[in-house]
Amino acid sequence: MQKTLSIIIPCFNEEDGLLNLKERLYPVLDRIKKDHKIELIFVDDGSKDKTNLLLHKYFKSKLGISVKILKHEVNKNLGAAIRTGLSTVTSQVVAMMDSDCTYDPEGLILLLDTFERTNADIVTASPYHPKGGVENVPGYRLFLSKGISLIYVFLTFRRIYTFTSMFRVYKKEVLASTKFYSNNFIAVTELMIYPLLKKAKVVEVPMVLHSRQFGASKMKVVNTIVSHLKFIFRVIRLKVGI
């Protein structure tokens, strides 16, 4: 039986970068589809530019690759977009990736190979791994991300270097049994922390995080920090049974 793979890609006002995504992603998918039937799921999270139009122009179903383009009429943020994508997956293996190519789509092949070789529950890209790296990412963001990651290491008692990357591959059963609450960027951290607390097997793949080439980042730094702090206290309460 041919293996199946669903790939969720949330998008919000990404018109400037979608051609770049197509040119870099489809050659990767052409390699993956030799062994997998692929379901590509785009979630347009209330974009006000030409994102939806260009998604339909650039991404079409073809042999071995089916394409779904879902749309929120208003922006609901990343976590909500992930939930919408998850509600339609049909595969037992689910990948998530950024639309801005801050992680090279080529890395999906390495994530999948590692996933199959290790029988992990989650395989995640890890720029903060000693063998990973970052390029042109502001120093204050690295400081904050690594500092928060150290707190999550303490909470989970697991030596994980990166908790904030969306670029991952999951067993569908892990996602189905993980309820996450955040609508913003914290959702991807929830999708790591809650399985870890249930003793899930997580494998990191060192990878380089690049600065965005097209468009502007959608992350609001102060709001994200506050959300992380609230989530940290939620995890503490969960662990102590409050």
Side-chain angles (χ1 to χ4, degrees):
M1 181 181 294
Q2 188 179 29
K3 294 177 284 189
T4 59
L5 171 68
S6 296
I7 306 171
I8 299 172
I9 307 179
C11 303
F12 176 53
N13 291 343
E14 295 290 352
E15 64 177 4
D16 293 336
L18 289 179
L19 180 58
N20 178 59
L21 175 64
K22 175 196 172 185
E23 292 175 345
R24 296 175 66 178
L25 178 60
Y26 262 128
V28 173
L29 298 185
D30 285 338
R31 292 164 60 185
I32 294 174
K33 75 178 186 181
K34 295 176 182 178
D35 301 308
H36 296 77
K37 183 178 179 181
I38 300 170
E39 176 181 59
L40 193 57
I41 304 170
F42 290 97
V43 183
D44 173 10
D45 187 26
S47 297
K48 299 301 183 183
D49 61 3
K50 296 180 181 178
T51 292
N52 199 265
L53 176 67
L54 294 178
L55 285 172
H56 283 89
K57 177 180 179 180
Y58 294 146
F59 298 94
K60 301 181 184 300
S61 297
K62 58 181 181 177
L63 184 64
I65 303 174
S66 69
V67 178
K68 298 177 182 177
I69 300 174
L70 313 176
K71 181 173 176 58
H72 291 164
E73 292 304 318
V74 297
N75 178 248
K76 298 182 178 181
N77 219 324
L78 180 63
I82 290 173
R83 283 190 200 91
T84 295
L86 287 174
S87 71
T88 72
V89 299
T90 62
S91 306
Q92 293 305 306
V93 178
V94 181
M96 298 181 197
M97 63 184 296
D98 306 86
S99 62
D100 58 11
C101 294
T102 47
Y103 292 99
D104 190 337
E106 181 86 11
L108 183 58
I109 293 174
L110 183 55
L111 292 179
L112 277 173
D113 288 346
T114 304
F115 180 81
E116 294 174 357
R117 176 172 49 82
T118 63
N119 193 33
D121 296 305
I122 303 171
V123 173
T124 182
S126 182
Y128 306 139
H129 188 283
K131 295 183 179 179
V134 295
E135 290 186 357
N136 300 319
V137 176
Y140 73 91
R141 288 187 61 171
L142 293 180
F143 176 78
L144 292 171
S145 295
K146 290 184 177 182
I148 288 171
S149 292
L150 286 174
I151 296 173
Y152 289 130
V153 169
F154 175 77
L155 290 176
T156 60
F157 298 104
R158 298 284 291 275
R159 191 45 170 143
I160 304 291
Y161 292 95
T162 304
F163 290 85
T164 54
S165 169
M166 186 171 68
F167 196 21
R168 298 177 185 155
V169 175
Y170 302 80
K171 289 181 179 176
K172 183 182 179 181
E173 63 198 62
V174 171
L175 292 168
S177 64
T178 303
K179 186 174 182 179
F180 62 102
Y181 303 90
S182 300
N183 286 331
N184 61 11
F185 286 83
I186 302 302
V188 298
T189 302
E190 288 189 272
L191 286 171
M192 174 76 82
I193 295 292
Y194 290 138
L196 280 171
L197 294 177
K198 296 178 182 178
K199 310 302 182 183
K201 181 178 180 180
V202 176
V203 176
E204 292 184 278
V205 175
M207 210 165 287
V208 176
L209 172 64
H210 303 273
S211 60
R212 172 188 279 266
Q213 290 183 298
F214 301 93
S217 173
K218 311 307 185 298
M219 180 182 290
K220 296 178 174 62
V221 176
V222 174
N223 289 346
T224 301
I225 293 171
V226 171
S227 295
H228 272 294
L229 293 174
K230 290 180 178 178
F231 178 57
I232 287 166
F233 284 113
R234 188 190 310 161
V235 174
I236 291 172
R237 291 196 300 270
L238 181 65
K239 286 177 68 67
V240 300
I242 298 177

